[in-house]
């Protein structure tokens, strides 16, 4: 996109509401204004989109791989870039590549690579460390032998990382951390989320009070909601300031449970879309290696699913545009709400709402053009057509 360009001819969603008959003016990679199309008549540099929806680029808080690459298998700046490019074709313009439970050396390599990748202008916001401080009883596809309690060295490593990149996000189990550690991390700019845990509702509430602000893939790999033991699910839905990612792919959580969760979630915290995507998104391969185990693709309705040999779900084959469609088609969400769950909500959760997640003046011009079928037609990254 040229400097001072104009996008017109589509319904415009600015991250909060729809505008009909309006155009987006972009200048130097940022949104300059949203104006009625009558005000741009006769102007040069207008790109006519021919219908559909122009919306903020999607933001994915949890993405393990893409384009045939898995972060754990090659924690390098190049892998971060490949993952970002693979997901961009599906409307994702900013993301947190996610390292699942691994060794100290792999974790250190991933943090170093994230620091470099976050400066490259590819939409990499930083890193999400999903482990190793998780509960073996809720390991999912993670390797239990690498799981361990958080130590002072880990706290210092995360605090140093938060000084060097825009976002450091860590998923921890209540069994493996202490409230004072969570408070130090939160005070130091690290976003702490609870997940892969069998904790009680009360244990979760203590960590929320200490500064944890999110829950990782609600319902999956955590203590569930029952009438006398609300667990982490109950704590997350009841705590107003807590945000939670959901994997809306038709495999990880039954749509009935997600519809109930949407109706039950106390605000201002919201549920938002994540993909938890693995290496096969944006790739023609049918399997990949995860810590020496084969993960294979199986057919599904909305998207295929990824499983280990024993049938355990191992991340997803989901992209963000598919999650938005699933929200509308299966979860009975308004299009406005499902788009917010892919853009403004994760931006607010990550504390980057001034820069991303909207098409309001001053925000980065990260945009996605969707057809009426909600499939991606075009993506722009800081005003540049991709």
């Amino acid at each position: 996109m040229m400097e001072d360009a104009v996008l017109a001819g589509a319904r415009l969603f600015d991250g909060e509401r729809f505008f009909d008959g309006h155009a987006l003016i972009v200048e130097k990679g940022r949104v300059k204004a949203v104006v009625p199309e009558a005000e741009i008549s006769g102007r040069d540099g207008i790109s006519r989109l021919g219908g559909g929806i122009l919306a903020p680029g999607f933001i994915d808080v949890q993405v393990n791989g893409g384009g045939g690459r898995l972060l754990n298998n090659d924690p390098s700046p190049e892998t971060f870039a490949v993952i970002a490019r693979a997901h961009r074709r599906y409307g994702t313009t900013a993301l947190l590549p996610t390292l699942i439970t691994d060794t100290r050396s792999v974790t250190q390599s991933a943090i170093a690579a994230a620091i470099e990748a976050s400066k490259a202008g590819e939409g990499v916001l930083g890193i999400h460390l999903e482990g190793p401080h998780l509960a073996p009883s809720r390991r999912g596809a993670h390797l239990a032998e690498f799981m361990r309690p958080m130590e002072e060295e880990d706290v210092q490593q995360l605090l140093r990382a938060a000084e060097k990149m825009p976002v450091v996000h860590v998923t921890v189990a209540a069994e493996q951390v202490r409230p004072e550690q969570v408070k130090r991390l939160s005070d130091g700019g690290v976003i702490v989320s609870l997940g892969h845990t069998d904790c009680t509702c009360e244990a979760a509430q203590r960590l929320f009070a200490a500064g944890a602000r999110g829950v990782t893939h609600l319902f999956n790999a955590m203590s569930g909601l029952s009438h006398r033991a609300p667990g982490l699910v109950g704590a997350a839905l009841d705590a107003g300031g807590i945000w939670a990612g959901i994997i809306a792919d038709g495999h990880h959580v039954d749509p009935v449970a997600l519809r109930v969760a949407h109706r039950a979630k106390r605000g201002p915290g919201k549920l938002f879309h994540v993909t938890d995507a693995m290496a096969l998104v944006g790739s023609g391969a049918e399997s990949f290696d995860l810590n020496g185990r084969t993960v294979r693709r199986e057919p599904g309705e909305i998207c295929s699913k990824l499983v280990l040999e024993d049938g355990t779900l191992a991340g997803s084959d989901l992209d963000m545009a598919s999650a938005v469609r699933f929200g509308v088609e299966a979860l009975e969400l308004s299009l406005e709400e499902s788009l917010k769950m892919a853009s403004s909500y994760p931006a607010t959760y990550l504390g980057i709402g001034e820069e991303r997640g909207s098409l309001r003046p001053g925000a980065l011009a990260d945009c996605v053009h969707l057809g009426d079928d909600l499939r991606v037609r075009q993506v722009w990254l800081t005003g540049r057509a991709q």
Side-chain angles (χ1 to χ4, degrees), residues 302-353:
I302 298 295
C303 68
S304 49
K305 68 177 178 178
L306 305 180
V307 295
L308 296 171
E309 290 301 318
D310 63 1
T312 301
L313 285 172
S316 87
D317 210 22
L318 183 66
D319 63 81
M320 287 295 273
S322 294
V324 169
R325 291 195 300 275
F326 188 86
V328 173
E329 296 168 6
L331 304 185
E332 302 173 359
L333 300 174
S334 67
L335 176 56
E336 179 180 276
E337 182 69 7
S338 200
L339 286 171
K340 287 180 180 180
M341 290 173 62
S343 56
S344 60
Y345 290 169
T348 301
Y349 168 60
L350 295 177
I352 57 172

Coordinates of all heavy atoms in Angstrom, one line a residue, residues 302-353:
I302 N -15.1 -28.4 10.6 CA -14.7 -27.0 10.5 C -13.2 -27.0 10.1 O -12.8 -26.3 9.2 CB -14.8 -26.3 11.9 CG1 -16.3 -26.2 12.2 CG2 -14.2 -24.9 11.8 CD1 -17.2 -25.4 11.3
C303 N -12.4 -27.8 10.8 CA -11.0 -28.0 10.4 C -10.6 -29.4 10.8 O -11.3 -30.0 11.6 CB -10.1 -26.9 11.0 SG -9.9 -27.0 12.8
S304 N -9.5 -29.9 10.3 CA -9.0 -31.2 10.7 C -8.5 -31.1 12.2 O -8.4 -30.0 12.7 CB -7.9 -31.7 9.8 OG -7.0 -30.7 9.6
K305 N -8.3 -32.3 12.8 CA -7.7 -32.3 14.1 C -6.4 -33.0 14.1 O -6.1 -33.8 13.2 CB -8.7 -32.9 15.1 CG -8.9 -34.4 15.0 CD -9.8 -34.9 16.1 CE -10.1 -36.4 15.9 NZ -11.0 -36.9 17.0
L306 N -5.6 -32.7 15.2 CA -4.2 -33.2 15.3 C -4.2 -34.1 16.5 O -4.5 -33.7 17.6 CB -3.2 -32.1 15.4 CG -3.2 -31.1 14.3 CD1 -2.1 -30.1 14.5 CD2 -3.0 -31.8 12.9
V307 N -3.7 -35.4 16.3 CA -3.7 -36.3 17.4 C -2.4 -37.1 17.5 O -1.7 -37.3 16.5 CB -4.8 -37.3 17.3 CG1 -6.2 -36.6 17.5 CG2 -4.8 -38.1 16.0
L308 N -2.0 -37.5 18.7 CA -0.9 -38.4 18.9 C -1.4 -39.8 18.6 O -2.6 -40.1 18.4 CB -0.4 -38.4 20.4 CG 0.2 -37.0 20.8 CD1 0.5 -37.0 22.3 CD2 1.5 -36.8 20.1
E309 N -0.5 -40.8 18.6 CA -0.9 -42.2 18.3 C -1.9 -42.7 19.3 O -2.8 -43.5 18.9 CB 0.4 -43.1 18.4 CG 1.4 -42.8 17.2 CD 0.7 -43.0 15.9 OE1 0.0 -44.0 15.7 OE2 1.0 -42.2 15.0
D310 N -2.0 -42.2 20.5 CA -3.0 -42.7 21.5 C -4.3 -41.9 21.4 O -5.2 -42.1 22.2 CB -2.4 -42.7 22.9 CG -2.1 -41.3 23.4 OD1 -2.3 -40.3 22.6 OD2 -1.7 -41.1 24.5
G311 N -4.4 -41.0 20.4 CA -5.6 -40.3 20.2 C -5.7 -38.9 21.0 O -6.6 -38.2 20.9
T312 N -4.6 -38.6 21.8 CA -4.6 -37.4 22.5 C -4.5 -36.2 21.6 O -3.7 -36.2 20.7 CB -3.4 -37.3 23.5 OG1 -3.5 -38.4 24.4 CG2 -3.3 -36.0 24.3
L313 N -5.3 -35.2 21.8 CA -5.2 -34.0 21.0 C -3.9 -33.3 21.2 O -3.4 -33.2 22.4 CB -6.4 -33.0 21.4 CG -7.8 -33.3 20.9 CD1 -8.8 -32.3 21.5 CD2 -7.9 -33.3 19.4
A314 N -3.2 -32.9 20.1 CA -1.9 -32.3 20.2 C -2.0 -31.0 19.5 O -1.6 -30.8 18.3 CB -0.9 -33.2 19.6
G315 N -2.5 -29.9 20.1 CA -2.7 -28.7 19.5 C -3.8 -28.7 18.5 O -4.6 -29.7 18.5
S316 N -3.8 -27.8 17.6 CA -4.9 -27.7 16.6 C -4.4 -27.5 15.2 O -3.2 -27.1 15.0 CB -5.9 -26.6 17.0 OG -5.5 -25.4 16.4
D317 N -5.3 -27.6 14.2 CA -5.0 -27.3 12.8 C -5.9 -26.1 12.4 O -6.2 -25.9 11.3 CB -5.4 -28.5 12.0 CG -4.6 -28.6 10.7 OD1 -3.5 -28.0 10.7 OD2 -5.0 -29.2 9.7
L318 N -6.2 -25.3 13.4 CA -7.1 -24.1 13.3 C -6.3 -22.9 12.8 O -5.2 -22.7 13.2 CB -7.8 -23.9 14.6 CG -8.8 -22.8 14.7 CD1 -10.0 -23.1 13.9 CD2 -9.2 -22.6 16.2
D319 N -7.0 -22.1 12.0 CA -6.5 -20.7 11.8 C -7.6 -19.7 12.3 O -8.7 -20.1 12.6 CB -6.3 -20.5 10.3 CG -7.5 -20.6 9.4 OD1 -8.3 -19.7 9.4 OD2 -7.8 -21.7 8.9
M320 N -7.2 -18.4 12.4 CA -8.0 -17.5 13.1 C -9.3 -17.2 12.2 O -10.4 -16.9 12.8 CB -7.3 -16.2 13.4 CG -6.3 -16.3 14.5 SD -7.1 -16.7 16.1 CE -7.4 -15.0 16.7
A321 N -9.2 -17.1 10.9 CA -10.4 -16.9 10.1 C -11.4 -18.0 10.3 O -12.6 -17.7 10.4 CB -10.0 -16.7 8.7
S322 N -10.9 -19.2 10.4 CA -11.8 -20.3 10.7 C -12.5 -20.2 12.1 O -13.6 -20.6 12.2 CB -11.1 -21.7 10.5 OG -10.7 -21.9 9.2
A323 N -11.7 -19.8 13.0 CA -12.3 -19.6 14.4 C -13.4 -18.5 14.4 O -14.4 -18.7 15.0 CB -11.1 -19.2 15.4
V324 N -13.2 -17.4 13.6 CA -14.2 -16.4 13.5 C -15.5 -17.0 12.9 O -16.6 -16.8 13.4 CB -13.7 -15.2 12.7 CG1 -14.8 -14.3 12.3 CG2 -12.6 -14.5 13.4
R325 N -15.3 -17.8 11.8 CA -16.5 -18.4 11.2 C -17.2 -19.4 12.1 O -18.4 -19.4 12.2 CB -16.1 -19.2 9.9 CG -15.6 -18.3 8.8 CD -15.6 -19.0 7.5 NE -14.7 -20.2 7.5 CZ -13.4 -20.1 7.3 NH1 -12.8 -18.9 7.0 NH2 -12.6 -21.2 7.3
F326 N -16.4 -20.2 12.9 CA -17.0 -21.1 13.8 C -17.8 -20.4 14.9 O -18.8 -20.8 15.3 CB -15.9 -21.9 14.5 CG -16.3 -23.1 15.3 CD1 -16.6 -24.3 14.8 CD2 -16.5 -22.9 16.7 CE1 -17.1 -25.4 15.6 CE2 -17.0 -24.0 17.5 CZ -17.3 -25.2 16.9
G327 N -17.3 -19.2 15.4 CA -18.0 -18.4 16.4 C -19.3 -18.0 15.9 O -20.3 -18.1 16.6
V328 N -19.4 -17.6 14.6 CA -20.7 -17.2 14.1 C -21.6 -18.4 13.8 O -22.8 -18.4 14.1 CB -20.5 -16.4 12.8 CG1 -21.8 -16.1 12.1 CG2 -19.7 -15.1 13.1
E329 N -21.1 -19.4 13.2 CA -21.9 -20.6 12.7 C -22.3 -21.5 13.8 O -23.4 -22.1 13.8 CB -21.1 -21.3 11.6 CG -20.9 -20.5 10.4 CD -19.9 -21.1 9.4 OE1 -19.5 -22.3 9.7 OE2 -19.5 -20.5 8.4
A330 N -21.4 -21.8 14.8 CA -21.6 -22.9 15.8 C -21.9 -22.3 17.2 O -22.5 -23.0 18.0 CB -20.4 -23.8 15.8
L331 N -21.3 -21.1 17.4 CA -21.5 -20.6 18.8 C -22.6 -19.5 18.9 O -22.8 -19.0 20.0 CB -20.1 -20.0 19.3 CG -19.0 -21.0 19.2 CD1 -17.7 -20.3 19.9 CD2 -19.3 -22.3 20.0
E332 N -23.2 -19.2 17.8 CA -24.3 -18.3 17.7 C -23.9 -16.9 18.2 O -24.7 -16.1 18.7 CB -25.5 -18.8 18.6 CG -26.0 -20.2 18.1 CD -27.1 -20.7 19.1 OE1 -27.4 -20.1 20.1 OE2 -27.5 -21.9 18.8
L333 N -22.7 -16.5 17.9 CA -22.2 -15.2 18.2 C -22.5 -14.3 17.0 O -22.6 -14.7 15.9 CB -20.7 -15.2 18.4 CG -20.1 -16.1 19.5 CD1 -18.6 -16.1 19.5 CD2 -20.6 -15.6 20.9
S334 N -22.7 -13.0 17.4 CA -22.8 -12.0 16.3 C -21.4 -11.9 15.6 O -20.4 -12.2 16.2 CB -23.2 -10.7 16.9 OG -22.1 -10.1 17.6
L335 N -21.4 -11.5 14.3 CA -20.2 -11.3 13.6 C -19.3 -10.3 14.3 O -18.1 -10.5 14.4 CB -20.5 -10.9 12.2 CG -19.2 -10.5 11.3 CD1 -18.3 -11.7 11.2 CD2 -19.7 -10.1 9.9
E336 N -19.9 -9.2 14.8 CA -19.2 -8.2 15.6 C -18.4 -8.8 16.8 O -17.3 -8.6 17.0 CB -20.2 -7.2 16.1 CG -19.6 -6.1 16.9 CD -20.6 -5.1 17.3 OE1 -21.0 -4.2 16.5 OE2 -21.1 -5.2 18.4
E337 N -19.1 -9.7 17.5 CA -18.5 -10.3 18.7 C -17.4 -11.3 18.3 O -16.3 -11.2 18.9 CB -19.5 -11.0 19.5 CG -19.0 -11.7 20.8 CD -18.6 -10.7 21.9 OE1 -18.8 -9.4 21.7 OE2 -18.0 -11.1 22.9
S338 N -17.6 -12.1 17.3 CA -16.5 -13.0 16.9 C -15.3 -12.3 16.3 O -14.2 -12.7 16.6 CB -17.1 -14.0 15.8 OG -16.3 -15.2 15.8
L339 N -15.5 -11.2 15.6 CA -14.4 -10.4 15.2 C -13.6 -9.7 16.3 O -12.4 -9.7 16.3 CB -14.9 -9.3 14.2 CG -15.3 -9.8 12.8 CD1 -15.9 -8.7 12.0 CD2 -14.1 -10.3 12.0
K340 N -14.4 -9.3 17.3 CA -13.7 -8.7 18.5 C -12.9 -9.7 19.2 O -11.8 -9.5 19.7 CB -14.8 -8.2 19.5 CG -15.4 -6.9 19.1 CD -16.5 -6.5 20.1 CE -17.2 -5.2 19.8 NZ -18.2 -4.8 20.8
M341 N -13.4 -11.0 19.2 CA -12.6 -12.1 19.9 C -11.3 -12.4 19.2 O -10.4 -13.0 19.8 CB -13.5 -13.3 20.0 CG -14.7 -13.2 21.0 SD -15.8 -14.6 20.9 CE -14.7 -15.9 21.4
A342 N -11.2 -12.0 17.9 CA -10.0 -12.2 17.2 C -9.1 -11.0 17.1 O -8.0 -11.1 16.5 CB -10.3 -12.7 15.8
S343 N -9.6 -9.8 17.6 CA -8.8 -8.6 17.4 C -8.7 -7.7 18.6 O -7.7 -7.8 19.4 CB -9.4 -7.8 16.2 OG -10.7 -7.6 16.4
S344 N -9.8 -7.0 18.9 CA -9.7 -6.0 20.0 C -9.6 -6.7 21.4 O -8.9 -6.2 22.3 CB -10.9 -5.1 20.0 OG -12.2 -5.8 20.1
Y345 N -10.3 -7.9 21.6 CA -10.2 -8.5 22.9 C -8.7 -9.0 23.2 O -8.2 -8.7 24.3 CB -11.2 -9.7 23.0 CG -12.6 -9.3 23.1 CD1 -13.6 -10.2 23.0 CD2 -13.0 -7.9 23.3 CE1 -15.0 -9.9 23.0 CE2 -14.4 -7.6 23.3 CZ -15.3 -8.6 23.2 OH -16.7 -8.2 23.3
P346 N -8.1 -9.8 22.3 CA -6.7 -10.2 22.6 C -5.8 -9.0 22.7 O -4.8 -9.0 23.5 CB -6.3 -11.1 21.5 CG -7.3 -10.9 20.4 CD -8.6 -10.4 21.1
A347 N -6.0 -7.9 22.0 CA -5.2 -6.7 22.1 C -5.3 -6.1 23.5 O -4.3 -5.7 24.1 CB -5.5 -5.7 21.0
T348 N -6.5 -6.0 23.9 CA -6.7 -5.4 25.3 C -6.1 -6.3 26.3 O -5.4 -5.8 27.3 CB -8.2 -5.3 25.6 OG1 -8.8 -4.4 24.6 CG2 -8.5 -4.7 27.0
Y349 N -6.3 -7.6 26.2 CA -5.7 -8.6 27.2 C -4.2 -8.4 27.2 O -3.6 -8.4 28.3 CB -6.1 -10.0 26.8 CG -5.3 -11.1 27.5 CD1 -5.4 -11.2 28.9 CD2 -4.6 -12.0 26.8 CE1 -4.7 -12.2 29.5 CE2 -3.9 -13.0 27.4 CZ -3.9 -13.1 28.8 OH -3.3 -14.1 29.5
L350 N -3.6 -8.3 26.1 CA -2.1 -8.2 26.0 C -1.6 -6.8 26.4 O -0.4 -6.6 26.4 CB -1.6 -8.6 24.7 CG -1.8 -10.1 24.3 CD1 -1.3 -10.3 22.9 CD2 -1.1 -11.0 25.3
G351 N -2.5 -5.8 26.5 CA -2.1 -4.4 26.8 C -1.5 -3.7 25.6 O -0.7 -2.7 25.8
I352 N -1.9 -4.1 24.4 CA -1.4 -3.4 23.2 C -2.6 -2.8 22.4 O -2.4 -2.5 21.2 CB -0.6 -4.4 22.3 CG1 -1.5 -5.6 22.0 CG2 0.6 -4.8 23.0 CD1 -0.9 -6.5 20.9
G353 N -3.7 -2.5 23.1 CA -4.8 -1.9 22.4 C -4.7 -0.6 21.8 O -5.5 -0.2 20.9

